[in-house]
């Protein structure tokens, strides 16, 4: 199967306005996603938001079903949340309380928000957050992880595709180790959804989250949270609402599915838009998306590395559509602003997104150019030429 790039671009109004290399922050949505959202908002305005919420309950459930298909999960294992961090944070807060001497093992590329959450909880409890050493190529070392395990380890956390580094961590190898040790395993798949195939069964994770707005091309303010069915029983959320834990017969009755992590109040327009985005992705096929992104990112890396003033900062053997680099003599912000003036979108990302990995590599900020399956060779040419001109 191949991708009909021309059709997809004709369905993406933003393609005629910008050369977008910022899919890792937020991608450009297809028309169908925007239409789904605006049509629902119109219905709400005409007939009443509550009434229309009831009317589309099955369609919102279809979003969860599509998400389950995307992740090879069952629909009972899916929650729709407002952001990935919100879902991850709530799942973390629902773990049994940490005690003195407990250990959390993390990859060096952990998302900054998760890192802050774990550190604060560990500090309060007298527990530790320990970083698993990397292999020579900069990926988390499964062998090092295995050698660190003992009966005080309460959690293994991995950011699968880091925000500031094009490497892909060995999530399934780590999953095998976590499973055989019986340690909970959380994955931040913020950059992975719709970039690489995600199979939660093959990976063996207990919790996985990812954003709707990035490679999936869904709306901002949407995210997916997967919680393994058997693992759900071990979690106690710090709060309940009328959806997640309704009051019945004089006591709260928490849900026994992943919607335990949802609340009753939501933007149904956005959740429907997310469903459209997921189905759009599934219709193209994540395997072919992965192959095209890989080829485009490889091409971009190669062409950028031919510019003497450019340094590429991507580790790993297997790599994502994220290309991290710096340009000698220019700050990443200066590069971003100059390219934006030419209607080319890239991101300038500071160390706070992946503090440990950036510090380990002596980086304070990088330019991040990320490709999608509808990026073209012509756009890459334009970006490379613009950077070569800036560098000169
Ligand atoms: C790996 C990773 N995790 C988390 C985030 C933050 O987004 P969210 O809170 O929606 O997951 C990002 C955003 O760039 C990210 O790259």
């Amino acid at each position: 199967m191949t991708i009909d790039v021309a059709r997809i671009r004709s369905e993406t109004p933003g393609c005629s306005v910008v050369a977008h290399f910022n899919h890792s922050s937020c991608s450009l949505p297809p028309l169908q996603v925007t239409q789904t959202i605006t049509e629902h908002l119109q219905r709400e305005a005409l007939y009443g938001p509550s009434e229309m919420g009831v009317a589309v309950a099955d369609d919102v459930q279809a979003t969860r079903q599509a998400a389950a298909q995307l992740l090879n999960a069952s629909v009972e294992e899916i929650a729709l949340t407002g952001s990935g961090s919100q879902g991850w944070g709530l799942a973390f807060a629902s773990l049994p309380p940490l005690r003195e001497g407990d250990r959390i093992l993390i990859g060096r590329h952990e998302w900054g928000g998760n890192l802050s959450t774990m550190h604060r909880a560990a500090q309060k409890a007298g527990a530790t957050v320990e970083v698993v050493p990397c292999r020579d190529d900069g990926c988390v070392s499964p062998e090092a992880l295995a050698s660190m395990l003992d009966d005080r380890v309460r959690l293994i956390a991995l950011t699968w595709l880091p925000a500031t580094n094009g490497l892909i961590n060995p999530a399934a190898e780590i999953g095998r180790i976590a499973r055989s040790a019986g340690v909970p395993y959380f994955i931040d798949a913020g950059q992975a959804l719709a970039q690489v195939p995600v199979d939660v069964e093959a990976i063996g994770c207990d919790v996985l989250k990812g954003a709707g707005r990035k490679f999936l091309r869904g709306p901002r303010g949407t995210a997916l949270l997967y919680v393994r069915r058997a693992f759900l029983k071990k979690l106690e959320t710090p709060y309940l609402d009328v959806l997640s834990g309704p009051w019945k017969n004089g006591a709260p009755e928490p849900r026994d599915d992943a919607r335990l992590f949802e609340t009753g109040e939501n933007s149904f327009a956005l959740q429907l838009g997310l469903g459209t985005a997921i189905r759009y992705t599934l219709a193209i096929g994540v395997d072919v998306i992965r192959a095209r992104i890989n080829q485009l990112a490889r091409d971009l890396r190669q062409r950028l590395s031919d510019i003497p003033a450019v340094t590429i900062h991507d580790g790993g053997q297997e790599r994502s559509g994220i290309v991290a680099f710096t340009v000698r003599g220019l700050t990443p912000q200066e590069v971003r602003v100059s390219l934006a003036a030419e209607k080319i979108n890239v991101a300038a990302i500071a160390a706070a997104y992946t503090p440990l990995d950036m510090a380990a590599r002596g980086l304070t900020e990088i330019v991040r150019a990320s490709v999608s399956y509808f990026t073209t060779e012509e756009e890459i040419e334009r970006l490379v030429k613009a950077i070569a001109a800036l560098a000169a």
Side-chain angles (χ1 to χ4, degrees):
M1 258 173 67
T2 54
I3 298 181
D4 186 349
V5 175
R7 176 184 64 77
I8 286 160
R9 290 179 70 83
S10 74
E11 292 171 351
T12 307
C15 286
S16 58
V17 181
V18 288
H20 194 68
F21 288 92
N22 199 12
H23 306 278
S24 286
S25 297
C26 287
S27 189
L28 301 173
L31 273 172
Q32 291 87 331
V33 168
T34 313
Q35 262 163 14
T36 303
I37 296 165
T38 51
E39 278 169 18
H40 186 71
L41 291 175
Q42 297 285 2
R43 281 197 298 262
E44 286 190 345
L46 287 177
Y47 304 109
S50 293
E51 291 70 15
M52 286 306 99
V54 173
V56 297
D58 286 350
D59 297 329
V60 173
Q61 183 64 1
T63 297
R64 291 188 198 89
Q65 263 146 3
Q69 191 183 338
L70 182 75
L71 305 181
N72 189 30
S74 70
V75 70
E76 295 79 19
E77 296 174 313
I78 301 294
L80 304 178
T81 59
S83 79
S85 296
Q86 187 192 356
W88 194 101
L90 186 52
F92 178 81
S94 306
L95 286 166
L98 289 170
R99 287 183 305 221
E100 197 173 342
D102 283 351
R103 303 169 66 209
I104 297 175
L105 304 184
I106 65 168
R108 194 177 83 185
H109 321 90
E110 191 61 29
W111 171 250
N114 305 342
L115 186 64
S116 296
T117 300
M118 288 185 280
H119 258 276
R120 196 179 58 180
Q123 217 165 26
K124 268 192 193 160
T128 53
V129 179
E130 298 169 39
V131 182
V132 179
C134 288
R135 302 186 309 219
D136 290 346
D137 67 359
C139 292
V140 175
S141 163
E143 298 75 27
L145 169 68
S147 73
M148 291 171 80
L149 289 171
D150 65 18
D151 60 6
R152 300 313 308 264
V153 177
R154 296 283 169 259
L155 175 68
I156 295 168
L158 179 78
T159 292
W160 188 3
L161 275 61
T164 56
N165 189 333
L167 64 78
I168 299 183
N169 272 314
E173 273 178 81
I174 291 171
R176 280 192 284 279
I177 294 166
R179 269 288 173 81
S180 65
V183 177
Y185 179 29
F186 280 30
I187 293 193
D188 186 323
Q191 298 291 354
L193 296 189
Q195 229 208 118
V196 296
V198 179
D199 179 339
V200 289
E201 285 305 318
I203 296 168
C205 53
D206 296 296
V207 167
L208 179 144
K209 65 86 165 170
R213 68 187 180 279
K214 298 178 187 286
F215 293 86
L216 259 178
R217 310 178 64 200
R220 297 196 77 167
T222 61
L224 304 180
L225 176 70
Y226 157 83
V227 184
R228 181 179 295 284
R229 193 75 202 245
F231 187 63
L232 203 68
K233 297 185 184 73
K234 301 184 181 166
L235 300 176
E236 192 177 292
T237 51
Y239 65 85
L240 295 166
D241 89 339
V242 292
L243 174 97
S244 61
W247 189 260
K248 282 186 190 160
N249 305 320
E253 197 172 283
R255 291 182 73 102
D256 63 357
D257 63 10
R259 291 186 68 194
L260 179 65
F261 295 92
E262 293 188 7
T263 49
E265 176 51 19
N266 283 300
S267 166
F268 294 128
L270 297 185
Q271 293 184 335
L272 294 172
L274 176 64
T276 300
I278 299 172
R279 286 186 290 275
Y280 194 89
T281 301
L282 290 170
I284 297 168
V286 182
D287 285 330
V288 282
I289 287 175
R290 165 70 186 138
R292 180 160 167 88
I293 287 180
N294 196 24
Q295 173 223 317
L296 291 167
R298 218 185 290 161
D299 183 32
L300 176 58
R301 263 184 218 108
Q302 180 56 53
R303 307 218 23 211
L304 285 177
S305 62
D306 290 341
I307 304 171
V310 170
T311 307
I312 304 287
H313 297 289
D314 296 325
Q317 308 297 320
E318 207 197 336
R319 289 174 169 175
S320 72
I322 291 173
V323 180
F325 63 96
T326 45
V327 183
R328 196 171 52 238
L330 293 168
T331 66
Q333 277 299 348
E334 287 168 338
V335 174
R336 184 190 67 76
V337 170
S338 300
L339 292 174
E342 296 184 49
K343 295 212 166 14
I344 301 174
N345 292 344
V346 297
I349 307 285
Y353 279 18
T354 52
L356 305 178
D357 187 47
M358 291 286 275
R361 299 189 295 151
L363 296 168
T364 52
E365 197 178 16
I366 50 108
V367 187
R368 182 174 72 184
S370 45
V371 297
S372 177
Y373 57 86
F374 62 95
T375 301
T376 60
E377 287 76 6
E378 293 73 28
E379 284 179 317
I380 288 180
E381 174 80 21
R382 226 180 112 193
L383 172 64
V384 170
K385 274 195 175 150
I387 291 169
L390 282 179

